[in-house]
Amino acid sequence: CQIIPADKMPRWGEGPAHINAAFGQDDLYVEMTFLRTLEKYGIAPSWRQAGIEFALTRYPLWCANNAGRINVRRGIMPPDSGHPKFSEWSEAIDYQIEADFAGLISPGLPNEVIRLGDIFGRVMNYGDGIYGGMWVGAMYAAAFFESDPAKIVRTGLEAIPRESRYHRCISDVLKTWEQNPNDWEEAWKVVQRNWHDNPHLWRDKSHEAKHNVGAKVNGAYIAIGLLYGQGDPEKTIVISTRCGQDSDCNPSNAGGVIFTALGMDKIPPKFKEGLDQTQKFSHTDYNFPTLLEVCERLARQIVSHAGGQVVTEDGQEVFRIPVQKATPPPLEQSDRPGPISNSRATSEEMEVIRKSREFLAEQLQPQLDQFARGWKLHLCGSDMDPGLKDQIRGRSRVFVTHPPQANESCYLERTLRLPTGDKVVLKLTVGHHEHGDWRLVVTVTCDGQGHVVLKRDIGPKTCKDGWTDVEVDLSTYAGKTVTLKLENSPTGWMCEAGYWAEIAFEPVVR
């Protein structure tokens, strides 16, 4: 872990290239799921509603987000889906990087930010992982009425428990800034010494020396950018980026707070000119104008919910927003978590989740029928453009699959009666992406009993020029009705696509 050298920082170019590159950002499409949930269920959805909407998403996820979605898909509903008992990532950065929406639709209303954080943050986080999002959201809420970055940071802290490690970490940054307001690298060193290099302060997988995705440390980098950036958006973004670690997310949060404080008219042109008004954000139905519309509509409802009003004065609409003093949530920390709530999905909810997860597989089924008729595709993930391809790695007509998540397989399945007497062999030609590998698992189910008959890693060590031929002798099951399952099983969640060039029987089985 080190400060990114100044000469290694990319420059913000003129024109729309940087701005329009954001439409595919995971930091954005996740919180747009939360906005969609608020549109669908109103501004006070239940944990269950928030969890199910998250489980139904099809975009790629990592860390706490991925763990939370896996838990809900298994029937572990919020608030348990982000609890340390069920997640090793409970204090990771995830809700923190997705909490902008809560402040943007809650102008000057920190308690609404806290309420929304308790709903959506618990889908994937716990303790400091949730407090990070509440702090970020509360800073956005404050930025509607305050331009001083130090006051914004302090106001945000009022939304979380003073006794929490998160509060103490950000307070360390504030104290260092007060003592030395011109040397942000000194503040970075304090965070390294007091928090990054203190392993006893960490209780989950979010903290690693080379890639720390913990909410506290990355939150400190947001604070460093805000305090030492002095209200200048570019300086704020550069400092937060140079702090390192999750250095695409932190400057986005810090820059967003400053842009909110400036207001649209005062944002420098290079940060907004050329924005594509028609392109939709990845995995959403929102383009920029519709996103503004939904945020405004929800903000009106939030203001009313908080006891405010939207009135007309002298022919103009005016938001009358009550002054709120933040009421922080009770203290919870992941190393001494409270009890779980035993919140579990009903059978009806699990059926809704199951059907949605097969959506892409059903879309790709006609392509699989062209390639290997009789086989059915299940649980195909959207990564790496699955489906039938004309050519891959020197082979023509290759069917591509991908696991739906890091610990679950995509699979092909077929039930058939094997001929009697003849030796029957399942013949496969499979390959891998040049930067990845995966595990082929073949299971035969007969008379109600499943038997794994082959496990083989498909990667550079086992393939020649990216491909290998596999034969599975099925003679043991001659004359019987069997179900064959071919799994594209993940190994390390790096380019896990399964390439299928041949799936055949010898002799030919109809």
Side-chain angles (χ1 to χ4, degrees), residues 112-317:
E112 293 297 314
V113 171
I114 294 167
R115 182 182 65 82
L116 292 170
D118 189 65
I119 295 169
F120 294 103
R122 292 199 179 279
V123 175
M124 75 294 291
N125 281 113
Y126 186 89
D128 286 339
I130 297 176
Y131 299 152
M134 291 178 174
W135 172 66
V136 166
M139 287 197 295
Y140 273 93
F144 281 92
F145 301 97
E146 179 58 65
S147 59
D148 182 344
K151 290 182 179 178
I152 290 173
V153 171
R154 291 192 178 97
T155 301
L157 280 182
E158 293 174 3
I160 65 174
R162 293 183 61 86
E163 307 88 348
S164 66
R165 293 192 183 106
Y166 198 103
H167 195 294
R168 289 160 45 200
C169 180
I170 305 303
S171 296
D172 270 2
V173 177
L174 275 163
K175 182 179 179 180
T176 306
W177 170 77
E178 290 166 350
Q179 297 170 345
N180 191 347
N182 298 312
D183 185 2
W184 69 265
E185 294 189 19
E186 180 60 30
W188 185 89
K189 292 174 184 176
V190 169
V191 173
Q192 286 294 109
R193 182 173 62 251
N194 292 354
W195 299 95
H196 182 277
D197 296 336
N198 246 343
H200 73 277
L201 297 175
W202 302 86
R203 295 295 185 271
D204 62 12
K205 291 180 67 174
S206 63
H207 175 65
E208 295 179 4
K210 291 184 178 180
H211 190 199
N212 190 323
V213 294
K216 288 186 284 293
V217 166
N218 288 281
Y221 298 159
I222 295 172
I224 290 172
L226 288 169
L227 295 169
Y228 289 88
Q230 301 172 323
D232 181 302
E234 185 157 13
K235 189 176 180 181
T236 298
I237 291 168
V238 168
I239 291 173
S240 285
T241 304
R242 289 188 61 199
C243 285
Q245 299 297 357
D246 214 316
S247 56
D248 64 331
C249 305
N250 304 329
S252 298
N253 289 133
V257 170
I258 294 300
F259 288 142
T260 304
L262 288 173
M264 182 65 79
D265 291 343
K266 294 183 180 179
I267 294 175
K270 69 177 181 180
F271 293 114
K272 58 184 180 180
E273 286 185 347
L275 176 66
D276 189 336
Q277 301 284 330
T278 61
Q279 183 175 347
K280 290 184 178 180
F281 291 90
S282 178
H283 303 285
T284 82
D285 291 326
Y286 299 125
N287 59 23
F288 192 70
T290 56
L291 187 62
L292 293 183
E293 289 172 9
V294 69
C295 285
E296 179 184 343
R297 187 163 62 251
L298 291 171
R300 290 171 180 270
Q301 296 174 41
I302 292 284
V303 168
S304 177
H305 181 265
Q309 293 177 305
V310 181
V311 298
T312 300
E313 295 181 357
D314 299 326
Q316 290 188 325
E317 279 195 322

Side-chain angles (χ1 to χ4, degrees), residues 458-469:
I458 309 300
K461 294 181 180 179
T462 59
C463 297
K464 181 180 180 181
D465 298 326
W467 298 96
T468 187
D469 295 323

Side-chain angles (χ1 to χ4, degrees), residues 1 17 37 76 88 102 144 169 171 187 267 280 322 333 382 392:
C1 178
T37 302
I76 302 171
E88 296 180 296
F144 281 92
C169 180
S171 296
I267 294 175
K280 290 184 178 180
Q333 301 282 248
S382 60
I392 289 184

